[in-house]
Amino acid sequence: MFFDFLSNSRPVFPEEERDFSELCGELKCDTEFVGFMPSVILDLWPIYSLGCTHASRFTGSHAAPKIYLMPIAVADCFIYPSITETVRNFYTSFDDNSAKDEVKEGFFSRLFSPKKEEKEEPKDNLLYDIRIEEIMPIVSPALRTAHPIRLSRNCECNVLYFRLTLPNGSTAYLFALCDTPENIWRSVVEKYEIKTEMIIHSHKGFGHWFTSTPLYEHLIRTRKPHLLPRFYFRGKFITIDDSPAGSTELEIIEDDLLGGRSSVYRLPDKL
């Protein structure tokens, strides 16, 4: 289960040990929803649509934690500069009411030392009014990536945790993982027996159509078919139906803000 992966990891900063322990406690649950969402940009449309539209029915109980695993070492790691800037902005722009100000305004502000142009809040129209409430750099021994996230000269991580609050008040737990989708599936999903519910194709996060990816080739031959997802989400930036043969379209979601259409499919019993 995902808790096993998380509890075998550690936060980069000792100052966040308590926060990390609280996070592990929140996710010590075997009934959570887990979505697998490789990304090349911080596009949160799938998380929004699976939390704030009729498509939320595919994520299980309302009370179950919603966990999204986001491999980002794809397409030449295009997401790395923007996600690093998001982290730096978060750690150096706390309001006066933050409970962590005393620690973060001292140690963290000196650590990240943002440039003047970085202090302005990012204007990313792909966030859909989703608030980033917490970010935590994490190191996991399960990931053998050659592409860690370098936050400063002496600070690296291979997992980034984002606590998100959706417009309807619900919470989503997003974990950016610094490795390719197929490697994350082997070293995290299969190693820790994480039952996934949905594969999410967000903003061409696979770099190819899903059925022509190394991940799909692995899934059709996996020795752990009980971990395979039931559903497939085709993001609004994917222009053709690239769901596996035998899939059934169950839901269509319209994006009224930027336009575009997504779909949720029921995957066949055997890929």
Side-chain angles (χ1 to χ4, degrees), residues 182-253:
E182 61 274 14
N183 285 346
I184 293 297
W185 194 274
R186 296 186 190 99
S187 62
V188 177
V189 174
E190 292 187 338
K191 178 178 179 179
Y192 293 97
E193 293 282 326
I194 300 172
K195 179 66 176 78
T196 59
E197 290 297 317
M198 186 177 290
I199 294 283
I200 299 168
H201 197 171
S202 167
H203 215 305
K204 300 189 185 298
F206 287 107
H208 304 280
W209 306 125
F210 173 54
T211 51
S212 65
T213 62
L215 174 63
Y216 184 74
E217 291 298 316
H218 177 75
L219 296 184
I220 62 179
R221 295 177 173 85
T222 180
R223 296 181 180 180
K224 295 190 175 183
H226 59 287
L227 301 178
L228 293 176
R230 295 184 296 162
F231 304 110
Y232 174 72
F233 183 103
R234 178 172 61 85
K236 61 190 177 70
F237 296 101
I238 312 305
T239 55
I240 66 170
D241 178 1
D242 67 337
S243 61
S247 300
T248 304
E249 190 174 44
L250 301 176
E251 183 92 19
I252 296 175
I253 312 109

Side-chain angles (χ1 to χ4, degrees), residues 127-139:
L127 295 182
Y128 298 93
D129 294 324
I130 295 176
R131 297 198 309 275
I132 299 176
E133 304 287 1
E134 183 176 16
I135 295 178
M136 189 184 305
I138 296 170
V139 173

Side-chain angles (χ1 to χ4, degrees), residues 3-269:
F3 170 78
D4 297 322
F5 164 74
L6 196 59
S7 61
N8 280 290
S9 305
R10 62 173 177 81
V12 168
F13 305 123
E15 290 81 0
E16 295 188 321
E17 287 283 0
R18 181 176 178 180
D19 296 333
F20 183 73
S21 295
E22 291 175 355
L23 173 64
C24 290
E26 291 179 35
L27 299 184
K28 193 175 184 180
C29 173
D30 58 2
T31 59
E32 76 273 6
F33 166 84
V34 178
F36 194 81
M37 186 178 75
S39 294
V40 296
I41 191 172
L42 196 59
D43 170 24
L44 302 184
W45 162 251
I47 297 177
Y48 170 85
S49 57
L50 290 169
C52 300
T53 74
H54 290 299
S56 63
R57 64 192 177 99
F58 299 107
T59 66
S61 165
H62 175 73
K66 315 302 181 192
I67 300 170
Y68 294 87
L69 306 182
M70 188 173 75
I72 61 173
V74 293
D76 296 324
C77 305
F78 178 77
I79 193 175
Y80 276 53
S82 62
I83 206 169
T84 300
E85 181 179 353
T86 298
V87 175
R88 292 170 63 91
N89 286 340
F90 179 85
Y91 272 97
T92 55
S93 59
F94 295 95
D95 59 50
D96 294 335
N97 297 322
S98 172
K100 299 179 182 179
D101 275 352
E102 184 176 350
V103 173
K104 289 186 174 178
E105 285 185 355
F107 174 74
F108 292 123
S109 292
R110 290 195 302 272
L111 174 68
F112 292 112
S113 301
K115 299 176 183 177
K116 290 183 179 180
E117 62 268 22
E118 289 179 334
K119 291 183 178 180
E120 185 177 351
E121 286 294 321
K123 296 178 176 61
D124 192 339
N125 61 359
L126 299 179
L127 295 182
Y128 298 93
D129 294 324
I130 295 176
R131 297 198 309 275
I132 299 176
E133 304 287 1
E134 183 176 16
I135 295 178
M136 189 184 305
I138 296 170
V139 173
S140 169
L143 276 61
R144 306 291 184 180
T145 178
H147 300 285
I149 295 174
R150 175 160 292 188
L151 300 172
S152 68
R153 181 177 299 176
N154 299 311
C155 179
E156 291 184 348
C157 67
N158 57 15
V159 179
L160 267 176
Y161 158 63
F162 297 82
R163 185 186 189 94
L164 308 175
T165 297
L166 278 59
N168 62 4
S170 61
T171 297
Y173 303 84
L174 175 64
F175 293 85
L177 306 167
C178 298
D179 211 336
T180 61
E182 61 274 14
N183 285 346
I184 293 297
W185 194 274
R186 296 186 190 99
S187 62
V188 177
V189 174
E190 292 187 338
K191 178 178 179 179
Y192 293 97
E193 293 282 326
I194 300 172
K195 179 66 176 78
T196 59
E197 290 297 317
M198 186 177 290
I199 294 283
I200 299 168
H201 197 171
S202 167
H203 215 305
K204 300 189 185 298
F206 287 107
H208 304 280
W209 306 125
F210 173 54
T211 51
S212 65
T213 62
L215 174 63
Y216 184 74
E217 291 298 316
H218 177 75
L219 296 184
I220 62 179
R221 295 177 173 85
T222 180
R223 296 181 180 180
K224 295 190 175 183
H226 59 287
L227 301 178
L228 293 176
R230 295 184 296 162
F231 304 110
Y232 174 72
F233 183 103
R234 178 172 61 85
K236 61 190 177 70
F237 296 101
I238 312 305
T239 55
I240 66 170
D241 178 1
D242 67 337
S243 61
S247 300
T248 304
E249 190 174 44
L250 301 176
E251 183 92 19
I252 296 175
I253 312 109
E254 302 283 353
D255 178 6
D256 296 329
L257 178 62
L258 296 178
R261 173 181 293 184
S262 302
S263 293
V264 176
Y265 298 82
R266 179 69 164 88
L267 291 171
D269 293 334

